[in-house]
Amino acid sequence: MPDSAALPIPASMDETLTLMRTRLSHVIPDFEIQAKAEIAHEINVLKREMNAVILGHNYMEPALYHSVPDYTGDSLQLSVVASKTQADIIVFCGVLFMGESAKILNPSKTVLVPSEKAGCSLAEGITPEDVIALRQRFPGAMVVSYVNTYASVKAESDYCCTSGNADKVVKHLIAAGYKQIIFLPDEYLARNTASDVGVRYFAASGSDEEFAALPADEPVVIGWKSRCEVHELFTVDDVDNVRRQYPDAVILAHPECSPEVMAKVDVAGSTKLMVDYVREVDAPRYALFTECSMGDNLAAEFPHREMVRACSLRCKHMNTITLQDTLEALRKLQYQVHLDEDVITRARTPIDRMISIR
Ligand code: SF4
């Protein structure tokens, strides 16, 4: 049985081509739509035969995003779908840590991530040993790991969070009386979250003497050094250039961007917040400071909205997922996510806590 509330999937090749042309004709050329519609149709046929569900992250390329996913969204939205699906196979068109989260939440399912190369600079920037060392250095601190970490790191954490609920998770812990919150691994998300919540930020690269000089009775967010290799490239000059060329544009930025960039934009938030904003708030134009496929996907989904399409920053990891890879993943049942039972058990609690704070 298909899951309820899924996106409608076209039944025939003609319907697939029509849907993709309707959505994408002002975003990508027709020859590309025609070529990709054939692959998309094959995927949709196979998906039904195999009782598979396809989850498409907001950063997928437009032809894939608008043709084969049963559900689209950010990692939190898709994690919730993965936890409830009745499908036998979950194909996660996103990066490896997302596939791992799906496996943790629904371990009896076969979970496929269509590319072996779909890593992430944040997830690769921290290890379980790093977390254990931080706990030893800051005894009693709570560990909040961004969902962009591998399962082995989540297993050493108390809470997970997304960019959409990072501030709520930190506020929840402060309200519960915790003074030290280790927030991993994204330096910029940690700094931006500390600023949003109104608490001090301390870089773990700082010395013990510097930490001891902080007021002991005030909460502090302790951050790591990793950064998203895409969002760290947005600069204050980029904001100024958009303002100069499109003074009426609303600029929305993802909190993996630097605090200096975040201070100059109009709206800060997750990719879900960006989708909701463009859908619901009438503005002359919208400029997105996030992975550029997202702007393409919103331009396709909301043709009556004017998107500033000046972005050239793509995630090399997300971009390894193609329609052809997705087809091969289903045909060969590759690449399956495997995790130790112990890791699944220990990583489940912080993820469940993340989902409960929305
Ligand atoms: S955009 Fe950044 S955070 Fe997202 S997968 Fe790519 S490197 Fe990781």
Side-chain angles (χ1 to χ4, degrees):
M1 286 284 290
D3 297 290
S4 61
L7 296 170
I9 295 293
S12 68
M13 175 63 204
D14 283 350
E15 280 182 36
T16 304
L17 186 56
T18 302
L19 173 84
M20 290 177 70
R21 278 186 169 144
T22 305
R23 282 283 183 90
L24 298 166
S25 57
H26 61 296
V27 177
I28 57 177
D30 195 64
F31 70 84
E32 184 181 338
I33 296 175
Q34 288 190 51
K36 290 186 172 175
E38 289 182 24
I39 308 172
H41 178 59
E42 274 192 77
I43 292 170
N44 287 332
V45 169
L46 206 51
K47 179 176 71 176
R48 279 192 201 91
E49 288 173 7
M50 298 172 72
N51 190 26
V53 64
I54 299 184
L55 310 181
H57 188 267
N58 289 327
Y59 293 162
M60 289 296 101
E61 62 101 359
L64 187 159
Y65 186 85
H66 289 285
S67 62
V68 298
D70 300 278
Y71 297 87
T72 55
D74 66 7
S75 46
L76 178 58
Q77 291 171 291
L78 297 179
S79 294
V80 173
V81 173
S83 70
K84 295 178 179 165
T85 186
Q86 295 170 23
D88 296 320
I89 299 168
I90 300 169
V91 183
F92 212 125
C93 291
V95 291
L96 177 58
F97 72 77
M98 298 177 182
E100 286 190 342
S101 294
K103 186 72 181 174
I104 292 162
L105 288 164
N106 215 335
S108 67
K109 307 296 182 185
T110 298
V111 178
L112 308 175
V113 174
S115 166
E116 277 186 308
K117 297 179 191 150
C120 169
S121 66
L122 287 175
E124 280 146 30
I126 187 148
T127 66
E129 292 73 28
D130 293 328
V131 184
I132 292 164
L134 285 165
R135 280 198 188 277
Q136 284 168 352
R137 183 175 172 200
F138 302 102
M142 291 299 272
V143 175
V144 178
S145 287
Y146 191 26
V147 72
N148 298 30
T149 47
Y150 289 127
S152 54
V153 165
K154 291 184 173 83
E156 299 296 338
S157 306
D158 299 303
Y159 279 74
C160 288
C161 73
T162 66
S163 56
N165 72 356
D167 55 343
K168 293 193 188 86
V169 170
V170 171
K171 279 183 191 162
H172 171 82
L173 291 172
I174 291 171
Y178 292 99
K179 293 280 188 276
Q180 297 174 8
I181 296 154
I182 299 171
F183 190 106
L184 307 169
D186 186 348
E187 176 196 339
Y188 287 160
L189 182 62
R191 292 168 73 109
N192 289 325
T193 302
S195 168
D196 289 347
V197 175
V199 300
R200 283 173 198 276
Y201 175 82
F202 178 79
S205 56
S207 69
D208 289 344
E209 291 71 30
E210 287 167 326
F211 188 72
L214 297 177
D217 56 341
E218 286 183 19
V220 59
V221 166
I222 301 162
W224 191 242
K225 59 192 174 192
S226 303
R227 293 180 188 169
C228 164
E229 65 192 274
V230 177
H231 290 94
E232 73 171 343
L233 298 179
F234 288 102
T235 65
V236 166
D237 281 350
D238 295 331
V239 181
D240 293 340
N241 285 337
V242 170
R243 294 259 187 248
R244 201 164 36 247
Q245 292 181 60
Y246 307 100
D248 55 358
V250 174
I251 303 180
L252 301 97
H254 193 283
E256 289 166 16
C257 295
S258 73
E260 293 75 23
V261 166
M262 299 310 286
K264 297 199 78 171
V265 302
D266 303 304
V267 180
S270 66
T271 56
K272 177 183 183 301
L273 180 141
M274 292 181 190
V275 177
D276 292 345
Y277 190 95
V278 173
R279 180 191 296 113
E280 290 159 18
V281 179
D282 197 12
R285 294 170 209 270
Y286 311 81
L288 305 186
F289 277 38
T290 190
E291 212 274 352
C292 300
S293 298
M294 175 98 197
D296 298 338
N297 288 331
L298 291 193
E301 188 166 351
F302 305 111
H304 57 297
R305 301 298 203 202
E306 181 88 18
M307 308 299 296
V308 174
R309 307 271 303 284
C311 175
S312 61
L313 297 178
R314 309 260 168 197
C315 173
K316 69 182 184 197
H317 309 287
M318 291 282 185
N319 276 232
T320 62
I321 310 281
T322 65
L323 278 165
Q324 189 65 44
D325 290 333
T326 307
L327 180 59
E328 293 303 317
L330 279 167
R331 280 180 177 158
K332 299 176 183 168
L333 279 184
Q334 70 181 19
Y335 298 96
Q336 294 192 32
V337 176
H338 295 290
L339 293 172
D340 290 344
E341 270 184 40
D342 171 60
V343 169
I344 289 178
T345 305
R346 289 190 298 128
R348 174 80 195 228
T349 301
I351 294 181
D352 281 343
R353 287 172 175 163
M354 168 185 84
I355 291 174
S356 71
I357 302 176
R358 295 172 70 182

